[in-house]
Amino acid sequence: MSFKIALIYGDGVGPEVIKAALEVLEALDFDAEYVEVKAGYEYWRRTGKPMEDGALDVIRSCRCVLKGPLMTPPGTDSYRSVTVMLRQTLDLYANVRPFKSFGKASKKIDMVIVRENTEDLYSGIEYRLGSTAITLRVVSERASKRIARFAFELAKREGRRKVAVVHKANVMKESCGLFRSAFFEVAKLYPEIQAEEIVVDSAAYRIVVAPETLDVLVTPNMFGDILSDVAAGVVGSLGLAPSANIGDGYAMFEPVHGTAPDIAGKGVANPIASILSAAMMLSYLGDAKRARAIEVAVDELIAEGRVLTPDMGGTAKTVDVAREVARRAREALTSFR
Ligand code: ATP
C-alpha cells in the first residue's frame, strides 16, 4: 500500500537531514508518495507567509507529516512558531520523545518523554500590562487526563513498567496541581503499571546522573521541551533524538533538535534524529519490520564508530551517514525475511 506523506523540509539543517531520512526510506523500498509543503521562517521572509496557501488542506489530505526543524527567532513579533501552530491546529496532543543509548554506551538508557503538546505556557496567550509581560499557563483537566492516558497506554504497549508525572505542584499549586491529580486519577486504571511523581528540578538531575532508572516521563509542555534537550545531551547528541507528535488519527514526525544555524549548509549535521523519526513514522504506519531495520542499522553504525558526524566525535558528512545507515538498514531488512 502506498502512503501519501506531507514533507516539510524546514529551515537551517532541515533540508540536509530530511533528505538523509528520505534516502533511507528509499533504500528500504518504502512505498510512499511525498507531497512537499513549503513553510517556515525562510519561506516567510521571502513571501510574508509562514506556510504556502492551502498548506493545511494538503497536510490534512496526507496520512502524516515528516518534517525538518523550523526556525522561530526570538523577538520577531509578527512571526509565530509554525511547529507550535501545527501541533495545536492538528491537535497533535502527545509529543513522544524516546531516548536510548546506542552502541557500546556505558549506561543502558531506555526512557521516553511524553510531553503534553497543546497547552501550558505555549498557549500563546500573552500580553503586556504597562512594563510587565504576562504569559498565561493554561492546563486543562481534559488535556492532562488525555496525555496521562496516552503515556500509560504507551507503557502498556511497549511492556514498560513505570510512568512518572513530572511537575512543580509544590509551587504552581493550580496548574501543576491539576496536571498531577489528573495523572493519579488516570493511574488508577492501570494498576499493573507503577505510577510515580518527580519534581521537575529533581527530574533534570536524575536524567543526568541516573537516566537508566527512568522509564516513561509524562510532562507539561515546557518542562518536556527542556528536559528533552537534557536527555539528548545524556544519550550523546541532539542529533540522535527523534520525536513523534501524535493525535487521534493524525501524526507528525520530526527531530527534537532545532535548525542548528551554526552548522547549516556545511553538510555535517547528524541525520540520525531525522532517520529515527522516519522509523517512528514507519511504526505508526504499521511497518514494524522496516522501523526495526533502521534501529538495527543505527545501533550497528554507532557501535562500530567509523562513520559518525562531528557532534559524535567523527569526521563523516551527513550524506556519508545517510548512505551507511541506508545500506545497513537494507541488509537488516533482508535478514528479517
Ligand atoms: P533553533 O533556534 O532552531 O532552536 P538552536 O541553535 O537554538 O536553533 P538547535 O538547533 O537545537 O538549537 O542546536 C543546539 C546545538 O546542537 C547547536 O550547537 C547545534 O549545532 C547542535 N545540533 C543540533 N542539531 C544537530 C544535528 N542534527 N547535528 C549536529 N549538531 C546538532
Side-chain angles (χ1 to χ4, degrees), residues 160-190:
R160 294 176 177 274
R161 296 213 301 274
K162 287 189 294 186
V163 181
V165 61
V166 175
H167 62 76
K168 189 82 183 177
N170 47 341
V171 177
M172 287 177 277
K173 292 182 191 300
E174 285 299 334
S175 52
C176 269
L178 176 57
F179 194 77
R180 175 184 176 276
S181 60
F183 169 84
F184 282 112
E185 191 69 21
V186 170
K188 290 181 195 152
L189 305 171
Y190 300 87

PDB file of all heavy atoms in Angstrom, residues 160-190:
ATOM      1  N   ARG A 160       6.462  -1.499  29.264  1.00  0.00           N
ATOM      2  CA  ARG A 160       7.227  -0.703  30.237  1.00  0.00           C
ATOM      3  C   ARG A 160       6.543  -0.771  31.595  1.00  0.00           C
ATOM      4  O   ARG A 160       5.340  -0.986  31.677  1.00  0.00           O
ATOM      5  CB  ARG A 160       7.341   0.744  29.741  1.00  0.00           C
ATOM      6  CG  ARG A 160       8.178   0.849  28.484  1.00  0.00           C
ATOM      7  CD  ARG A 160       8.188   2.252  27.959  1.00  0.00           C
ATOM      8  NE  ARG A 160       9.060   2.367  26.797  1.00  0.00           N
ATOM      9  CZ  ARG A 160      10.361   2.593  26.872  1.00  0.00           C
ATOM     10  NH1 ARG A 160      10.944   2.747  28.039  1.00  0.00           N
ATOM     11  NH2 ARG A 160      11.083   2.676  25.774  1.00  0.00           N
ATOM     12  N   ARG A 161       7.343  -0.560  32.667  1.00  0.00           N
ATOM     13  CA  ARG A 161       6.800  -0.845  33.995  1.00  0.00           C
ATOM     14  C   ARG A 161       6.426   0.386  34.820  1.00  0.00           C
ATOM     15  O   ARG A 161       5.626   0.307  35.743  1.00  0.00           O
ATOM     16  CB  ARG A 161       7.819  -1.688  34.783  1.00  0.00           C
ATOM     17  CG  ARG A 161       8.060  -3.067  34.156  1.00  0.00           C
ATOM     18  CD  ARG A 161       8.336  -4.106  35.212  1.00  0.00           C
ATOM     19  NE  ARG A 161       9.494  -3.754  36.020  1.00  0.00           N
ATOM     20  CZ  ARG A 161      10.746  -4.055  35.681  1.00  0.00           C
ATOM     21  NH1 ARG A 161      10.995  -4.705  34.560  1.00  0.00           N
ATOM     22  NH2 ARG A 161      11.756  -3.723  36.465  1.00  0.00           N
ATOM     23  N   LYS A 162       7.052   1.540  34.495  1.00  0.00           N
ATOM     24  CA  LYS A 162       6.845   2.712  35.353  1.00  0.00           C
ATOM     25  C   LYS A 162       6.470   3.933  34.527  1.00  0.00           C
ATOM     26  O   LYS A 162       7.053   4.165  33.448  1.00  0.00           O
ATOM     27  CB  LYS A 162       8.153   3.077  36.067  1.00  0.00           C
ATOM     28  CG  LYS A 162       8.550   2.152  37.174  1.00  0.00           C
ATOM     29  CD  LYS A 162       9.739   2.725  37.950  1.00  0.00           C
ATOM     30  CE  LYS A 162      11.009   2.794  37.118  1.00  0.00           C
ATOM     31  NZ  LYS A 162      12.194   3.197  37.862  1.00  0.00           N
ATOM     32  N   VAL A 163       5.531   4.726  35.040  1.00  0.00           N
ATOM     33  CA  VAL A 163       5.258   6.035  34.435  1.00  0.00           C
ATOM     34  C   VAL A 163       5.341   7.069  35.557  1.00  0.00           C
ATOM     35  O   VAL A 163       4.722   6.900  36.610  1.00  0.00           O
ATOM     36  CB  VAL A 163       3.855   6.097  33.780  1.00  0.00           C
ATOM     37  CG1 VAL A 163       3.623   7.467  33.157  1.00  0.00           C
ATOM     38  CG2 VAL A 163       3.690   5.008  32.719  1.00  0.00           C
ATOM     39  N   ALA A 164       6.125   8.120  35.320  1.00  0.00           N
ATOM     40  CA  ALA A 164       6.265   9.169  36.343  1.00  0.00           C
ATOM     41  C   ALA A 164       5.737  10.494  35.807  1.00  0.00           C
ATOM     42  O   ALA A 164       6.053  10.870  34.673  1.00  0.00           O
ATOM     43  CB  ALA A 164       7.736   9.315  36.739  1.00  0.00           C
ATOM     44  N   VAL A 165       4.935  11.176  36.617  1.00  0.00           N
ATOM     45  CA  VAL A 165       4.490  12.518  36.237  1.00  0.00           C
ATOM     46  C   VAL A 165       5.537  13.520  36.730  1.00  0.00           C
ATOM     47  O   VAL A 165       6.024  13.424  37.859  1.00  0.00           O
ATOM     48  CB  VAL A 165       3.080  12.833  36.816  1.00  0.00           C
ATOM     49  CG1 VAL A 165       3.052  12.789  38.338  1.00  0.00           C
ATOM     50  CG2 VAL A 165       2.585  14.190  36.319  1.00  0.00           C
ATOM     51  N   VAL A 166       5.911  14.440  35.841  1.00  0.00           N
ATOM     52  CA  VAL A 166       6.900  15.464  36.197  1.00  0.00           C
ATOM     53  C   VAL A 166       6.145  16.776  36.426  1.00  0.00           C
ATOM     54  O   VAL A 166       5.349  17.189  35.581  1.00  0.00           O
ATOM     55  CB  VAL A 166       7.933  15.628  35.066  1.00  0.00           C
ATOM     56  CG1 VAL A 166       8.891  16.779  35.388  1.00  0.00           C
ATOM     57  CG2 VAL A 166       8.699  14.333  34.853  1.00  0.00           C
ATOM     58  N   HIS A 167       6.374  17.409  37.571  1.00  0.00           N
ATOM     59  CA  HIS A 167       5.597  18.622  37.869  1.00  0.00           C
ATOM     60  C   HIS A 167       6.364  19.533  38.829  1.00  0.00           C
ATOM     61  O   HIS A 167       7.477  19.204  39.266  1.00  0.00           O
ATOM     62  CB  HIS A 167       4.255  18.225  38.496  1.00  0.00           C
ATOM     63  CG  HIS A 167       4.414  17.504  39.814  1.00  0.00           C
ATOM     64  ND1 HIS A 167       4.738  18.138  40.994  1.00  0.00           N
ATOM     65  CD2 HIS A 167       4.314  16.177  40.120  1.00  0.00           C
ATOM     66  CE1 HIS A 167       4.818  17.261  41.967  1.00  0.00           C
ATOM     67  NE2 HIS A 167       4.578  16.047  41.463  1.00  0.00           N
ATOM     68  N   LYS A 168       5.753  20.639  39.165  1.00  0.00           N
ATOM     69  CA  LYS A 168       6.270  21.537  40.210  1.00  0.00           C
ATOM     70  C   LYS A 168       5.048  21.985  41.021  1.00  0.00           C
ATOM     71  O   LYS A 168       4.764  23.176  41.189  1.00  0.00           O
ATOM     72  CB  LYS A 168       6.998  22.728  39.558  1.00  0.00           C
ATOM     73  CG  LYS A 168       7.754  23.609  40.523  1.00  0.00           C
ATOM     74  CD  LYS A 168       9.109  23.075  40.895  1.00  0.00           C
ATOM     75  CE  LYS A 168       9.795  23.966  41.910  1.00  0.00           C
ATOM     76  NZ  LYS A 168      11.096  23.444  42.347  1.00  0.00           N
ATOM     77  N   ALA A 169       4.269  20.979  41.463  1.00  0.00           N
ATOM     78  CA  ALA A 169       2.985  21.261  42.105  1.00  0.00           C
ATOM     79  C   ALA A 169       3.156  21.876  43.492  1.00  0.00           C
ATOM     80  O   ALA A 169       2.207  22.457  44.027  1.00  0.00           O
ATOM     81  CB  ALA A 169       2.156  19.982  42.194  1.00  0.00           C
ATOM     82  N   ASN A 170       4.368  21.773  44.047  1.00  0.00           N
ATOM     83  CA  ASN A 170       4.595  22.412  45.345  1.00  0.00           C
ATOM     84  C   ASN A 170       4.601  23.935  45.218  1.00  0.00           C
ATOM     85  O   ASN A 170       4.307  24.649  46.156  1.00  0.00           O
ATOM     86  CB  ASN A 170       5.911  21.904  45.965  1.00  0.00           C
ATOM     87  CG  ASN A 170       7.068  21.902  44.977  1.00  0.00           C
ATOM     88  OD1 ASN A 170       6.860  21.928  43.759  1.00  0.00           O
ATOM     89  ND2 ASN A 170       8.280  21.893  45.475  1.00  0.00           N
ATOM     90  N   VAL A 171       4.914  24.454  44.027  1.00  0.00           N
ATOM     91  CA  VAL A 171       4.916  25.904  43.811  1.00  0.00           C
ATOM     92  C   VAL A 171       3.696  26.339  42.979  1.00  0.00           C
ATOM     93  O   VAL A 171       2.949  27.221  43.370  1.00  0.00           O
ATOM     94  CB  VAL A 171       6.228  26.351  43.111  1.00  0.00           C
ATOM     95  CG1 VAL A 171       6.195  27.848  42.818  1.00  0.00           C
ATOM     96  CG2 VAL A 171       7.430  26.005  43.978  1.00  0.00           C
ATOM     97  N   MET A 172       3.509  25.666  41.822  1.00  0.00           N
ATOM     98  CA  MET A 172       2.361  26.025  40.966  1.00  0.00           C
ATOM     99  C   MET A 172       1.216  25.099  41.317  1.00  0.00           C
ATOM    100  O   MET A 172       0.946  24.106  40.629  1.00  0.00           O
ATOM    101  CB  MET A 172       2.768  25.929  39.502  1.00  0.00           C
ATOM    102  CG  MET A 172       3.674  27.068  39.094  1.00  0.00           C
ATOM    103  SD  MET A 172       4.240  26.921  37.411  1.00  0.00           S
ATOM    104  CE  MET A 172       5.608  25.816  37.598  1.00  0.00           C
ATOM    105  N   LYS A 173       0.555  25.440  42.434  1.00  0.00           N
ATOM    106  CA  LYS A 173      -0.430  24.517  43.018  1.00  0.00           C
ATOM    107  C   LYS A 173      -1.634  24.337  42.111  1.00  0.00           C
ATOM    108  O   LYS A 173      -2.245  23.264  42.093  1.00  0.00           O
ATOM    109  CB  LYS A 173      -0.854  25.016  44.400  1.00  0.00           C
ATOM    110  CG  LYS A 173       0.292  24.931  45.407  1.00  0.00           C
ATOM    111  CD  LYS A 173      -0.144  25.380  46.780  1.00  0.00           C
ATOM    112  CE  LYS A 173       1.000  25.560  47.740  1.00  0.00           C
ATOM    113  NZ  LYS A 173       1.802  24.385  48.009  1.00  0.00           N
ATOM    114  N   GLU A 174      -1.991  25.356  41.359  1.00  0.00           N
ATOM    115  CA  GLU A 174      -3.158  25.219  40.482  1.00  0.00           C
ATOM    116  C   GLU A 174      -2.807  24.438  39.219  1.00  0.00           C
ATOM    117  O   GLU A 174      -3.307  23.339  38.992  1.00  0.00           O
ATOM    118  CB  GLU A 174      -3.724  26.597  40.109  1.00  0.00           C
ATOM    119  CG  GLU A 174      -4.489  27.262  41.229  1.00  0.00           C
ATOM    120  CD  GLU A 174      -5.715  26.454  41.692  1.00  0.00           C
ATOM    121  OE1 GLU A 174      -6.270  25.680  40.894  1.00  0.00           O
ATOM    122  OE2 GLU A 174      -6.109  26.594  42.856  1.00  0.00           O
ATOM    123  N   SER A 175      -1.921  25.008  38.387  1.00  0.00           N
ATOM    124  CA  SER A 175      -1.688  24.382  37.072  1.00  0.00           C
ATOM    125  C   SER A 175      -0.984  23.026  37.204  1.00  0.00           C
ATOM    126  O   SER A 175      -1.463  22.005  36.679  1.00  0.00           O
ATOM    127  CB  SER A 175      -0.906  25.331  36.162  1.00  0.00           C
ATOM    128  OG  SER A 175       0.261  25.796  36.801  1.00  0.00           O
ATOM    129  N   CYS A 176       0.137  22.991  37.921  1.00  0.00           N
ATOM    130  CA  CYS A 176       0.827  21.701  38.093  1.00  0.00           C
ATOM    131  C   CYS A 176       0.025  20.772  39.000  1.00  0.00           C
ATOM    132  O   CYS A 176       0.048  19.555  38.827  1.00  0.00           O
ATOM    133  CB  CYS A 176       2.237  21.902  38.641  1.00  0.00           C
ATOM    134  SG  CYS A 176       3.473  22.067  37.339  1.00  0.00           S
ATOM    135  N   GLY A 177      -0.690  21.385  39.951  1.00  0.00           N
ATOM    136  CA  GLY A 177      -1.534  20.580  40.853  1.00  0.00           C
ATOM    137  C   GLY A 177      -2.581  19.810  40.066  1.00  0.00           C
ATOM    138  O   GLY A 177      -2.808  18.617  40.302  1.00  0.00           O
ATOM    139  N   LEU A 178      -3.208  20.474  39.102  1.00  0.00           N
ATOM    140  CA  LEU A 178      -4.223  19.812  38.278  1.00  0.00           C
ATOM    141  C   LEU A 178      -3.583  18.731  37.387  1.00  0.00           C
ATOM    142  O   LEU A 178      -4.119  17.621  37.249  1.00  0.00           O
ATOM    143  CB  LEU A 178      -4.946  20.852  37.409  1.00  0.00           C
ATOM    144  CG  LEU A 178      -5.980  20.323  36.415  1.00  0.00           C
ATOM    145  CD1 LEU A 178      -7.056  19.520  37.121  1.00  0.00           C
ATOM    146  CD2 LEU A 178      -6.621  21.479  35.656  1.00  0.00           C
ATOM    147  N   PHE A 179      -2.441  19.050  36.804  1.00  0.00           N
ATOM    148  CA  PHE A 179      -1.747  18.078  35.937  1.00  0.00           C
ATOM    149  C   PHE A 179      -1.430  16.807  36.739  1.00  0.00           C
ATOM    150  O   PHE A 179      -1.631  15.685  36.276  1.00  0.00           O
ATOM    151  CB  PHE A 179      -0.466  18.709  35.381  1.00  0.00           C
ATOM    152  CG  PHE A 179       0.149  17.951  34.242  1.00  0.00           C
ATOM    153  CD1 PHE A 179      -0.383  18.035  32.965  1.00  0.00           C
ATOM    154  CD2 PHE A 179       1.257  17.124  34.439  1.00  0.00           C
ATOM    155  CE1 PHE A 179       0.176  17.325  31.903  1.00  0.00           C
ATOM    156  CE2 PHE A 179       1.819  16.413  33.390  1.00  0.00           C
ATOM    157  CZ  PHE A 179       1.278  16.521  32.116  1.00  0.00           C
ATOM    158  N   ARG A 180      -0.961  17.016  37.976  1.00  0.00           N
ATOM    159  CA  ARG A 180      -0.578  15.899  38.846  1.00  0.00           C
ATOM    160  C   ARG A 180      -1.799  15.077  39.269  1.00  0.00           C
ATOM    161  O   ARG A 180      -1.799  13.847  39.181  1.00  0.00           O
ATOM    162  CB  ARG A 180       0.146  16.465  40.075  1.00  0.00           C
ATOM    163  CG  ARG A 180       0.505  15.454  41.120  1.00  0.00           C
ATOM    164  CD  ARG A 180       1.131  16.109  42.342  1.00  0.00           C
ATOM    165  NE  ARG A 180       1.377  15.126  43.382  1.00  0.00           N
ATOM    166  CZ  ARG A 180       0.475  14.736  44.257  1.00  0.00           C
ATOM    167  NH1 ARG A 180      -0.752  15.250  44.230  1.00  0.00           N
ATOM    168  NH2 ARG A 180       0.778  13.821  45.153  1.00  0.00           N
ATOM    169  N   SER A 181      -2.851  15.744  39.702  1.00  0.00           N
ATOM    170  CA  SER A 181      -4.005  14.975  40.198  1.00  0.00           C
ATOM    171  C   SER A 181      -4.698  14.238  39.049  1.00  0.00           C
ATOM    172  O   SER A 181      -5.180  13.116  39.229  1.00  0.00           O
ATOM    173  CB  SER A 181      -4.976  15.861  40.980  1.00  0.00           C
ATOM    174  OG  SER A 181      -5.458  16.883  40.142  1.00  0.00           O
ATOM    175  N   ALA A 182      -4.724  14.838  37.859  1.00  0.00           N
ATOM    176  CA  ALA A 182      -5.322  14.153  36.692  1.00  0.00           C
ATOM    177  C   ALA A 182      -4.529  12.873  36.406  1.00  0.00           C
ATOM    178  O   ALA A 182      -5.102  11.820  36.103  1.00  0.00           O
ATOM    179  CB  ALA A 182      -5.293  15.078  35.479  1.00  0.00           C
ATOM    180  N   PHE A 183      -3.203  12.976  36.521  1.00  0.00           N
ATOM    181  CA  PHE A 183      -2.336  11.808  36.283  1.00  0.00           C
ATOM    182  C   PHE A 183      -2.682  10.670  37.249  1.00  0.00           C
ATOM    183  O   PHE A 183      -2.879   9.521  36.837  1.00  0.00           O
ATOM    184  CB  PHE A 183      -0.867  12.226  36.446  1.00  0.00           C
ATOM    185  CG  PHE A 183       0.094  11.074  36.492  1.00  0.00           C
ATOM    186  CD1 PHE A 183       0.561  10.496  35.318  1.00  0.00           C
ATOM    187  CD2 PHE A 183       0.533  10.544  37.705  1.00  0.00           C
ATOM    188  CE1 PHE A 183       1.434   9.419  35.346  1.00  0.00           C
ATOM    189  CE2 PHE A 183       1.408   9.470  37.742  1.00  0.00           C
ATOM    190  CZ  PHE A 183       1.862   8.900  36.561  1.00  0.00           C
ATOM    191  N   PHE A 184      -2.779  11.003  38.544  1.00  0.00           N
ATOM    192  CA  PHE A 184      -3.029   9.927  39.524  1.00  0.00           C
ATOM    193  C   PHE A 184      -4.444   9.357  39.394  1.00  0.00           C
ATOM    194  O   PHE A 184      -4.667   8.177  39.660  1.00  0.00           O
ATOM    195  CB  PHE A 184      -2.722  10.407  40.943  1.00  0.00           C
ATOM    196  CG  PHE A 184      -1.240  10.411  41.217  1.00  0.00           C
ATOM    197  CD1 PHE A 184      -0.542  11.596  41.385  1.00  0.00           C
ATOM    198  CD2 PHE A 184      -0.527   9.209  41.254  1.00  0.00           C
ATOM    199  CE1 PHE A 184       0.835  11.589  41.603  1.00  0.00           C
ATOM    200  CE2 PHE A 184       0.847   9.193  41.471  1.00  0.00           C
ATOM    201  CZ  PHE A 184       1.534  10.384  41.647  1.00  0.00           C
ATOM    202  N   GLU A 185      -5.356  10.172  38.933  1.00  0.00           N
ATOM    203  CA  GLU A 185      -6.723   9.703  38.658  1.00  0.00           C
ATOM    204  C   GLU A 185      -6.672   8.627  37.546  1.00  0.00           C
ATOM    205  O   GLU A 185      -7.227   7.547  37.682  1.00  0.00           O
ATOM    206  CB  GLU A 185      -7.506  10.937  38.195  1.00  0.00           C
ATOM    207  CG  GLU A 185      -8.983  10.836  38.082  1.00  0.00           C
ATOM    208  CD  GLU A 185      -9.687  10.701  39.421  1.00  0.00           C
ATOM    209  OE1 GLU A 185      -9.121  11.068  40.490  1.00  0.00           O
ATOM    210  OE2 GLU A 185     -10.774  10.208  39.368  1.00  0.00           O
ATOM    211  N   VAL A 186      -5.945   8.942  36.464  1.00  0.00           N
ATOM    212  CA  VAL A 186      -5.827   8.010  35.335  1.00  0.00           C
ATOM    213  C   VAL A 186      -5.032   6.765  35.748  1.00  0.00           C
ATOM    214  O   VAL A 186      -5.348   5.639  35.334  1.00  0.00           O
ATOM    215  CB  VAL A 186      -5.157   8.720  34.123  1.00  0.00           C
ATOM    216  CG1 VAL A 186      -4.797   7.733  33.021  1.00  0.00           C
ATOM    217  CG2 VAL A 186      -6.076   9.811  33.574  1.00  0.00           C
ATOM    218  N   ALA A 187      -4.025   6.966  36.604  1.00  0.00           N
ATOM    219  CA  ALA A 187      -3.153   5.845  37.018  1.00  0.00           C
ATOM    220  C   ALA A 187      -3.949   4.708  37.657  1.00  0.00           C
ATOM    221  O   ALA A 187      -3.563   3.540  37.548  1.00  0.00           O
ATOM    222  CB  ALA A 187      -2.087   6.354  37.983  1.00  0.00           C
ATOM    223  N   LYS A 188      -5.087   5.054  38.283  1.00  0.00           N
ATOM    224  CA  LYS A 188      -5.910   4.012  38.937  1.00  0.00           C
ATOM    225  C   LYS A 188      -6.411   2.988  37.936  1.00  0.00           C
ATOM    226  O   LYS A 188      -6.707   1.851  38.287  1.00  0.00           O
ATOM    227  CB  LYS A 188      -7.116   4.669  39.622  1.00  0.00           C
ATOM    228  CG  LYS A 188      -6.778   5.493  40.831  1.00  0.00           C
ATOM    229  CD  LYS A 188      -8.065   6.059  41.436  1.00  0.00           C
ATOM    230  CE  LYS A 188      -7.754   7.166  42.415  1.00  0.00           C
ATOM    231  NZ  LYS A 188      -8.825   8.142  42.519  1.00  0.00           N
ATOM    232  N   LEU A 189      -6.504   3.396  36.668  1.00  0.00           N
ATOM    233  CA  LEU A 189      -6.999   2.473  35.627  1.00  0.00           C
ATOM    234  C   LEU A 189      -5.914   1.508  35.155  1.00  0.00           C
ATOM    235  O   LEU A 189      -6.174   0.605  34.369  1.00  0.00           O
ATOM    236  CB  LEU A 189      -7.518   3.264  34.411  1.00  0.00           C
ATOM    237  CG  LEU A 189      -8.585   4.323  34.703  1.00  0.00           C
ATOM    238  CD1 LEU A 189      -8.861   5.166  33.481  1.00  0.00           C
ATOM    239  CD2 LEU A 189      -9.858   3.624  35.185  1.00  0.00           C
ATOM    240  N   TYR A 190      -4.665   1.747  35.608  1.00  0.00           N
ATOM    241  CA  TYR A 190      -3.538   0.915  35.163  1.00  0.00           C
ATOM    242  C   TYR A 190      -2.781   0.359  36.376  1.00  0.00           C
ATOM    243  O   TYR A 190      -1.607   0.694  36.593  1.00  0.00           O
ATOM    244  CB  TYR A 190      -2.594   1.746  34.278  1.00  0.00           C
ATOM    245  CG  TYR A 190      -3.261   2.287  33.037  1.00  0.00           C
ATOM    246  CD1 TYR A 190      -3.943   3.495  33.056  1.00  0.00           C
ATOM    247  CD2 TYR A 190      -3.239   1.562  31.835  1.00  0.00           C
ATOM    248  CE1 TYR A 190      -4.582   3.984  31.920  1.00  0.00           C
ATOM    249  CE2 TYR A 190      -3.872   2.046  30.704  1.00  0.00           C
ATOM    250  CZ  TYR A 190      -4.532   3.257  30.754  1.00  0.00           C
ATOM    251  OH  TYR A 190      -5.159   3.723  29.629  1.00  0.00           O
TER     252      TYR A 190
END
